[in-house]
């Protein structure tokens, strides 16, 4: 939304707007779209895609070339293998049963940084709702995060907001992430944030600001940790870091 105010680029975009050189994108203007740059959504738009028997509850998804793609998993199952762009993913099962195993097709561009929070039905429903920066394997990239109080309509004009650039870069045997505040006139209610490295092996070293972090062993222990820490979730092959929001410029590093 912030990028929209600065550049005019819409939040929801036709495929050709992100990949104008891709001729194939023009064949999928009515049944796929981008959410910003890195999330590709393929909603079910025809009746037969949700009908019975299950063999009819299928749809195909076109992935633009020039990038690799991952099926979105919401940090609930392991990240699957990457899929080359220019591919047509066929027979995606997307019924209306409500089974969380089967969802509307969503794909994430390799290398993307996707910030996520717990679901809220209205602004301020949760007193604190820490952000998790999901770091997808792939090319080096960056993401600009805008935050304000969510209520003051003039916050941006008054400068009462925070801009943070989150960037990641591959290093030998691992990943390095920098979290840099570039405009710092708002303090979020959450005293910490999380960073998750998807599709990883167990780390052999985790550091924040040059200091080694302890492995607390589990999600509950990480949530309750009073200090920067990490744990590795073997079931979904993801490394989670908890970082207290006390530094305007901090570098995180994970080696495997």
């Amino acid at each position: 939304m912030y990028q929209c105010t600065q550049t005019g680029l819409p939040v929801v975009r036709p495929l050709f707007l992100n990949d104008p050189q891709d001729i194939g994108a023009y064949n999928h203007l009515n049944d796929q779209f981008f959410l910003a740059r890195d999330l590709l959504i393929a909603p079910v738009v025809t009746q037969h895609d949700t009908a019975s028997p299950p063999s009819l509850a299928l749809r195909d998804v076109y992935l633009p070339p020039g990038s690799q793609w991952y099926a979105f998993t919401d940090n609930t199952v392991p990240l699957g293998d990457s899929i080359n762009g220019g591919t047509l993913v066929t027979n995606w099962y997307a019924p209306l049963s409500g089974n969380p195993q089967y969802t509307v097709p969503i794909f994430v561009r390799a290398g993307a940084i996707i910030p996520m929070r717990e679901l809220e039905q209205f602004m301020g429903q949760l007193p604190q709702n820490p952000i998790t920066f999901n770091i997808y394997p792939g090319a080096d990239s960056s993401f600009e995060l805008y935050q304000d109080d969510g209520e003051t309509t003039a916050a941006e004009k008054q400068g009462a907001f925070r801009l943070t650039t989150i960037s990641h870069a591959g290093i030998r045997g691992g990943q390095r992430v920098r979290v840099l505040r570039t405009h710092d006139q708002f303090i979020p209610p959450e005293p910490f944030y999380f960073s998750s490295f998807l599709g990883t092996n167990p780390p052999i070293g985790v550091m924040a600001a040059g200091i080694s972090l302890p492995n607390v062993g589990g999600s509950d222990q990480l949530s309750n940790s009073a200090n920067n820490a990490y744990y590795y979730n073997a079931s979904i092959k993801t490394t989670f870091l908890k970082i207290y929001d006390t530094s305007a410029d901090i570098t995180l590093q994970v080696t495997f």
Side-chain angles (χ1 to χ4, degrees), residues 2-10 13:
Y2 176 75
Q3 186 181 55
C4 179
T5 70
Q6 300 301 299
T7 67
L9 283 171
R13 305 173 186 175

Side-chain angles (χ1 to χ4, degrees), residues 231-243:
Y231 96 100
Y232 178 71
N233 187 320
S235 66
I236 60 172
K237 299 190 69 175
T238 299
T239 303
F240 290 93
L241 280 64
K242 179 180 183 178
I243 303 297

Side-chain angles (χ1 to χ4, degrees), residues 22-184:
D22 176 22
I23 300 301
Y26 296 87
N27 297 322
H28 297 274
L29 300 183
N30 295 325
D31 66 346
Q32 295 184 204
F33 62 88
F34 277 109
L35 181 61
R37 178 183 179 273
D38 293 328
L39 285 173
L40 179 67
I41 318 296
V44 176
V45 295
T46 58
Q47 183 177 2
H48 74 269
D49 282 339
T50 57
S52 294
S55 60
L56 295 181
L58 304 169
R59 70 149 296 164
D60 298 338
V61 184
Y62 174 74
L63 302 178
S67 298
Q68 292 184 311
W69 299 88
Y70 290 95
F72 178 75
T73 63
D74 197 19
N75 290 359
T76 56
V77 297
L79 191 66
D81 294 334
S82 62
I83 304 173
N84 291 328
T87 298
L88 186 68
V89 177
T90 59
N91 296 332
W92 185 286
Y93 184 48
L96 289 175
S97 63
N99 187 333
Q101 182 179 354
Y102 307 112
T103 62
V104 169
I106 301 175
F107 283 84
V108 183
R109 195 186 301 269
I113 300 171
I114 306 294
M116 294 183 63
R117 304 172 77 180
E118 294 297 323
L119 175 66
E120 290 184 280
Q121 300 295 346
F122 56 87
M123 182 63 65
Q125 180 184 10
L126 299 176
Q128 292 188 353
N129 195 350
I131 290 176
T132 297
F133 301 118
N134 287 310
I135 313 295
Y136 280 78
D140 300 353
S141 69
S142 65
F143 180 89
E144 189 172 44
L145 175 71
Y146 174 92
Q147 294 171 282
D148 63 21
D149 63 10
E151 298 178 356
T152 308
T153 56
E156 185 179 333
K157 292 182 180 180
Q158 296 170 355
F161 61 91
R162 175 185 286 186
L163 278 180
T164 306
T165 298
I166 303 97
S167 57
H168 79 92
I171 60 174
R172 185 170 183 175
Q175 282 284 321
R176 179 179 293 142
V177 171
R178 185 182 185 188
V179 182
L180 172 66
R181 300 178 200 161
T182 58
H183 183 91
D184 201 7

